Amino acid sequence: LAVAVGDAVPSQVVDHYENPRNVGSLDRNAKNVGTGLVGAPACGDVMKLQVEVDENGRIVDARFKTFGCGSAIASSSLATEWVKGKTVDEALKIKNTDIAKELCLPPVKLHCSMLAEDAIKAALADYKLKQDPNKEESEKKA
Amino acid sequence: SGRSGDGGGALRPLYMDVQATTPLDPRVLDSMLPYLTAYYGNPHSRTHAYGWESEAAMEKARQQVADLIGADSREIIFTSGATESNNMAIKGVARFYKSRKKHIITTQTEHKCVLDSCRSLEAEGFRVTYLPVKKNGLIDLKELEAAFQPDTSLVSVMTVNNEIGVKQPIHDIGEICRARKVFFHTDAAQAIGKIPVDVNNMKIDLMSISGHKIYGPKGVGAIYVRRRPRVRLEPLQSGGGQERGLRSGTVPTPLAVGLGAACEVAQEEMEYDHKRISQLAERLVTKIMSEVPDVVMNGDREHRYPGCINLSFAYVEGESLLMALKDVALSSGSACTSASLEPSYVLRAIGTDEDLAHSSIRFGIGRFTTEEEVDYTVQKCIQHVKRLREMSPLWEMVQDGIDLKSIKWTQH
């Protein structure tokens, strides 16, 4: 559907909604699944990001669900794409600035990419905690 | 899909945002064209035919505006729009009477230009009471009565709210103010030409009018200033004394003519428009609510203008829904769509939970909205709400029986 007027939402962002990848859920009770839930409904941004890690510490699957604007959806969607195939430590290196650059997010939307980075870290922290429950528990996410 | 019938051949989104602005009614454009082409005189030029014909057109327009609201044409002053009119009314009246009166009453759901005018008066030493509204968006008349002080000079309450469409009890407010001899101003930008408004039977002393909300041109409006009893105001704009000294500056004849024509057309079409728009609004709301659960209408169901519908779709964020509905022009009360990242203050004032405020969409139905456009909008809205809920962690948690209010969310 061609729209003559200039699109205010960058096409990369819309694409993540129109052609969703990795929307959904993994079994949060599985030992090798890490679940991160960040944000707050009152802020208009909530991201749930899940990773499935194999016995070699490599992320083999990822899923997300987001309550938020187009940029938030795109940021979390991109995050799931990028974590796949990475080791846990490699995934922890993903920066919000890379996400924002890839999606051409304007300054007013940078917080969406930051929340996506937080979501990755929260999922991986949850996964690590499940592997070694004796470690000091960080604040429980849902 | 998405064709809105005008020229150019390219597809444009359906326009469902009439509270933001309206297209020019073709009859209004027709009335303006001569004054944009051949009859270009300055209406204040007293010495030649160009001026006389321009002045005649301006005065005819003035009468048309007056007729719509039951006023005398000498009580209509042309301005650049309702924002200027609101500034004039509030600052102008407050400053004129400031030696004896220092207090103003308004509401928390007024348009930004009213609230901001009040704030700037507070910086000048005036006191302002911002009345809260009930959950349905209406003010409590008892709270209004209690708010009056011996030095209250003005009460300002909008007739129809631009975000949620609620209609304040203008009749009752007028009575209360008149009984206490306090001037009553109403921002009627979203009301005139849509619902009957009469300055005498509603006891209104000042009224703001906007051209581009009633299928007239942008850049013009008017302020109604009562002559009996006389309302005095200190002008904002100084100059050659045009518009009874209240608003200097050359009156833009083509725009004034357009405003007048828009008012006349609105008066003729009001009943028909209201009936048709009510039906379309009913259709939209009923269809959406019968297909989609957890939808809240913001604002009183009854005391409203039907063409402004504000719905919150729980568990779906407003801007994402607007993005999904890309071939329909709509707006949202979500923070993402405002420059300040704060959700709508109107929704906050009616007590909407913050997450629902982020989930709100405003649908505007106007004179030119077709049933086909409403049906398309409804269909797409239902489709995308369902899809976005599938993508929503909140919806998932609710389906799993989790109470969202029990969750300790992270802050960012």
Side-chain angles (χ1 to χ4, degrees), chain B residues 92-137:
Chain B
V93 168
R95 288 169 183 163
F96 189 89
Y97 296 96
K98 71 174 183 250
S99 56
R100 289 178 297 118
K101 309 245 173 146
K102 291 289 240 184
H103 178 244
I104 293 164
I105 300 172
T106 187
T107 80
Q108 290 176 8
T109 54
E110 295 301 304
H111 192 276
K112 272 277 161 84
C113 58
V114 168
L115 296 176
D116 215 53
S117 297
C118 288
R119 277 198 224 313
S120 93
L121 285 178
E122 285 184 291
E124 285 176 30
F126 292 86
R127 297 176 334 271
V128 182
T129 299
Y130 300 91
L131 292 173
V133 294
K134 298 181 283 194
K135 276 200 159 0
N136 62 1

Side-chain angles (χ1 to χ4, degrees), chain B residues 248-305:
Chain B
S248 294
T250 302
V251 171
T253 302
L255 296 179
V257 164
L259 175 62
C263 288
E264 187 170 279
V265 168
Q267 195 165 9
E268 287 164 19
E269 305 281 6
M270 198 187 309
E271 199 184 320
Y272 177 84
D273 278 353
H274 195 276
K275 186 161 168 227
R276 210 182 64 87
I277 288 169
S278 298
Q279 283 168 351
L280 289 178
E282 189 61 41
R283 189 181 178 88
L284 184 146
V285 174
T286 305
K287 279 190 169 207
I288 289 178
M289 288 189 152
S290 66
E291 281 275 326
V292 181
D294 302 304
V295 179
V296 175
M297 180 185 282
N298 296 307
D300 196 87
R301 269 278 190 158
E302 217 193 288
H303 297 104
R304 60 170 31 255
Y305 171 64

Side-chain angles (χ1 to χ4, degrees), chain B residues 38-297:
Chain B
Y39 307 128
Y40 50 80
N42 181 321
H44 315 293
S45 296
R46 300 209 159 286
T47 59
H48 48 72
Y50 290 86
W52 304 329
E53 76 206 352
S54 187
E55 186 191 24
M58 175 183 74
E59 292 306 323
K60 177 180 170 192
R62 200 187 301 279
Q63 187 65 58
Q64 288 167 319
V65 176
D67 287 346
L68 181 60
I69 62 173
D72 183 294
S73 70
R74 290 168 295 176
E75 297 172 309
I76 303 295
I77 306 291
F78 290 111
T79 66
S80 63
T83 294
E84 183 186 346
S85 305
N86 283 333
N87 269 264
M88 276 175 72
I90 293 165
K91 292 173 178 170
V93 168
R95 288 169 183 163
F96 189 89
Y97 296 96
K98 71 174 183 250
S99 56
R100 289 178 297 118
K101 309 245 173 146
K102 291 289 240 184
H103 178 244
I104 293 164
I105 300 172
T106 187
T107 80
Q108 290 176 8
T109 54
E110 295 301 304
H111 192 276
K112 272 277 161 84
C113 58
V114 168
L115 296 176
D116 215 53
S117 297
C118 288
R119 277 198 224 313
S120 93
L121 285 178
E122 285 184 291
E124 285 176 30
F126 292 86
R127 297 176 334 271
V128 182
T129 299
Y130 300 91
L131 292 173
V133 294
K134 298 181 283 194
K135 276 200 159 0
N136 62 1
L138 302 179
I139 61 161
D140 182 327
L141 292 169
K142 293 230 172 339
E143 286 190 25
L144 170 62
E145 287 175 316
F148 280 93
Q149 293 175 25
D151 67 338
T152 303
S153 62
L154 183 71
V155 168
S156 178
V157 180
M158 71 199 316
T159 315
V160 170
N161 184 276
N162 55 303
E163 285 200 39
I164 58 179
V166 295
K167 259 188 338 193
Q168 297 293 348
I170 298 298
H171 227 282
D172 296 328
I173 298 170
E175 293 273 358
I176 289 170
C177 292
R178 190 57 67 81
R180 290 158 180 73
K181 294 194 177 357
V182 172
F183 293 132
F184 173 36
H185 164 255
T186 186
D187 175 359
Q190 297 284 349
I192 65 146
K194 300 188 174 105
I195 57 168
V197 174
D198 185 295
V199 292
N200 290 315
N201 81 45
M202 291 172 167
K203 299 189 169 57
I204 293 167
D205 299 306
L206 295 130
M207 182 194 287
S208 302
I209 291 160
S210 171
H212 74 111
K213 305 295 164 43
I214 56 167
Y215 311 94
K218 293 172 182 57
V220 69
I223 181 172
Y224 158 75
V225 184
R226 180 175 284 281
R227 286 174 50 115
R228 289 214 196 95
R230 193 182 196 80
V231 178
R232 306 295 302 277
L233 61 90
E234 204 181 89
L236 285 179
Q237 191 147 303
S238 315
Q242 291 84 7
E243 297 299 276
R244 302 181 183 280
L246 293 181
R247 203 281 186 179
S248 294
T250 302
V251 171
T253 302
L255 296 179
V257 164
L259 175 62
C263 288
E264 187 170 279
V265 168
Q267 195 165 9
E268 287 164 19
E269 305 281 6
M270 198 187 309
E271 199 184 320
Y272 177 84
D273 278 353
H274 195 276
K275 186 161 168 227
R276 210 182 64 87
I277 288 169
S278 298
Q279 283 168 351
L280 289 178
E282 189 61 41
R283 189 181 178 88
L284 184 146
V285 174
T286 305
K287 279 190 169 207
I288 289 178
M289 288 189 152
S290 66
E291 281 275 326
V292 181
D294 302 304
V295 179
V296 175
M297 180 185 282

Side-chain angles (χ1 to χ4, degrees), chain A residues 17 25 39 42 48 66 109 118, chain B residues 319 358 384 391 396 410 412:
Chain A
Y17 172 71
S25 299
K48 184 188 82 162
T66 293
K109 294 293 186 188
D118 286 353
Chain B
E319 204 231 83
H358 284 291
H384 288 287
M391 297 175 75
E396 185 182 54
T410 63
H412 183 82

